[in-house]
Amino acid sequence: MSQQVQGVVAPGKNEPVRVETIIIPDPGPGEAVVKVQACGVCHTDLHYKQGAINDDFPFLLGHEAAGVVESVGDGVTNVAPGDFVVLNWRAVCGSCRACLRGRPQYCFDTHNAKQKMTLTGGTELSPALGIGAFAEKTLVAAGQCTKVDPAVSPAVAGLLGCGVMAGIGAAINTGQVGRGDSVAVIGCGGVGDAAVVGARLAGAARIIAVDIDDRKLETAKKMGATHTVNSRSTDPVEAIRELTGGFGADVVIEAVGHPETYRQAFYARDLAGTVVLVGVPTPEMKLELPLLDVFGRGGALKSSWYGDCLPSRDFPMLIDLHQQGRIDLSAFVTETIGLGDVEKAFARMHEGDVLRSVVEF
């Protein structure tokens, strides 16, 4: 029997979000209903609200979540009712060309629940990133559920569902930061700070945080940055070169998603260095670089989707590291809020003093 729950809906482009009654169907084959315990407020949810992802309104927002499996459909074997899970937005198919080549983190056929959640009048909802977790319960593909140790706080575990995993993975998986490397991170919000944590975890010798907000730079230092650069008053390319013996960083992680900061990242890397784009650009953005510079500098220009993570491998590992005290995931939780406070949380994103607001249920 279907259930009625409360959820946060974006009704139209740039319209204020509102709490609505949502209809959750029983899970079908390969699906699971999850009782959400916590969900982070991510910039991607704001992008959905602004119409910057697509125009499939209304959206059921929220995707950075953890909770407990309530029920599963036929054929589900990876999780069972009662399991504590982090939701992920890239459910590996196991049969596409990437999976068959042993590279499931690049799965080309990730999937979501086939059934639709709706409003009470029958209007179908588009769940953000196939999850829709600003709701008391949500329907997902069972493959979007990753079991982790239930001893960890849901507010902490849920952050692995997007931003923290994206940043740590950009450093470790995509950028392949190694011991003794120099790393620069441009943009020190939640994802950028997670990239700082990832670089430190990988053994980077020098981690340079770049932002236009001194408050964010102070937070980046607490996360492990060895040097900071305020790019509002200082040329970040020159500053990064000066801090790396005149050469540039081995890995530069761009966590803004803007052409100008990407150009900074490109020219701030060492010869044969790596640029990792993890910031999400908007559809109208264009990048222009001299092709001779692309050729002449060598190295690698990479984009990082979800930190190139494999949830079944990376989520439990990061939870273990948190419990061992080797990384402090709780440092990313700035505040916990209620379901009706999401619109205010979007506004606070622009104030510069919030890494993550987390909705708790």
Side-chain angles (χ1 to χ4, degrees):
M1 176 181 285
S2 62
Q3 304 181 63
Q4 293 189 5
V5 301
Q6 297 296 294
V8 174
V9 173
K13 185 175 181 178
N14 285 322
E15 293 183 28
V17 301
R18 56 193 187 217
V19 178
E20 299 266 13
T21 299
I22 310 301
I23 306 299
I24 310 292
D26 284 344
E31 296 176 342
V33 170
V34 176
K35 182 177 175 59
V36 181
Q37 294 180 319
C39 184
V41 182
C42 177
H43 269 89
T44 303
D45 292 303
L46 180 59
H47 289 161
Y48 272 106
K49 175 194 168 183
Q50 295 170 333
I53 306 293
N54 58 56
D55 60 356
D56 294 334
F57 291 96
F59 292 110
L60 176 58
L61 299 181
H63 60 279
E64 198 176 72
V68 175
V69 176
E70 181 181 83
S71 57
V72 299
D74 291 342
V76 174
T77 58
N78 64 306
V79 290
D83 285 342
F84 178 63
V85 297
V86 176
L87 299 181
N88 72 78
W89 47 267
R90 299 196 72 196
V92 172
C93 75
S95 58
C96 71
R97 60 193 185 280
C99 289
L100 292 177
R101 293 173 67 189
R103 302 172 182 173
Q105 68 270 30
Y106 302 125
C107 178
F108 299 127
D109 195 22
T110 58
H111 54 283
N112 304 316
K114 293 182 179 179
Q115 297 184 89
K116 288 288 188 178
M117 294 176 280
T118 67
L119 297 174
T120 53
T123 301
E124 291 187 347
L125 293 165
S126 300
L129 289 175
I131 292 178
F134 284 153
E136 295 163 323
K137 297 178 184 179
T138 190
L139 176 76
V140 295
Q144 293 178 280
C145 300
T146 304
K147 289 193 290 186
V148 297
D149 189 337
V152 72
S153 160
V156 168
L159 299 183
L160 298 179
C162 191
V164 170
M165 184 69 256
I168 292 177
I172 294 177
N173 296 332
T174 315
Q176 297 182 329
V177 174
R179 288 172 291 180
D181 280 353
S182 58
V183 178
V185 178
I186 300 177
C188 297
V191 173
D193 280 348
V196 168
V197 170
R200 179 171 59 85
L201 189 64
R206 184 156 297 196
I207 304 170
I208 305 163
V210 180
D211 203 282
I212 60 174
D213 189 325
D214 284 333
R215 293 171 299 173
K216 290 186 177 182
L217 292 173
E218 282 301 312
T219 301
K221 285 178 66 175
K222 294 175 183 176
M223 294 292 190
T226 59
H227 300 79
T228 61
V229 175
N230 188 317
S231 56
R232 189 185 294 279
S233 56
T234 304
D235 182 332
V237 176
E238 292 304 317
I240 291 168
R241 286 178 176 170
E242 184 177 342
L243 289 167
T244 54
F247 302 116
D250 297 306
V251 181
V252 184
I253 299 169
E254 200 280 310
V256 180
H258 192 277
E260 179 56 30
T261 46
Y262 188 89
R263 279 190 291 269
Q264 292 169 356
F266 179 82
Y267 287 109
R269 69 185 175 126
D270 196 359
L271 292 174
T274 298
V275 174
V276 176
L277 174 64
V278 67
V280 181
T282 55
E284 73 278 2
M285 290 180 178
K286 306 291 182 183
L287 176 68
E288 185 173 329
L289 287 171
L291 191 58
L292 184 60
D293 285 356
V294 175
F295 172 77
R297 299 184 68 83
L301 306 178
K302 298 182 175 182
S303 59
S304 183
W305 270 56
Y306 212 171
D308 289 337
C309 77
L310 184 60
S312 60
R313 174 195 66 198
D314 293 338
F315 288 7
M317 174 195 72
L318 292 174
I319 293 294
D320 285 346
L321 291 173
H322 170 71
Q323 292 174 318
Q324 293 167 18
R326 295 175 62 188
I327 57 175
D328 182 11
L329 297 179
S330 62
F332 288 90
V333 181
T334 305
E335 62 176 359
T336 56
I337 61 174
L339 198 59
D341 298 321
V342 171
E343 186 68 33
K344 293 178 182 177
F346 285 145
R348 287 203 65 189
M349 283 182 177
H350 299 290
E351 297 173 7
D353 58 348
V354 175
L355 283 182
R356 271 300 184 269
S357 302
V358 178
V359 176
E360 287 192 323
F361 295 85

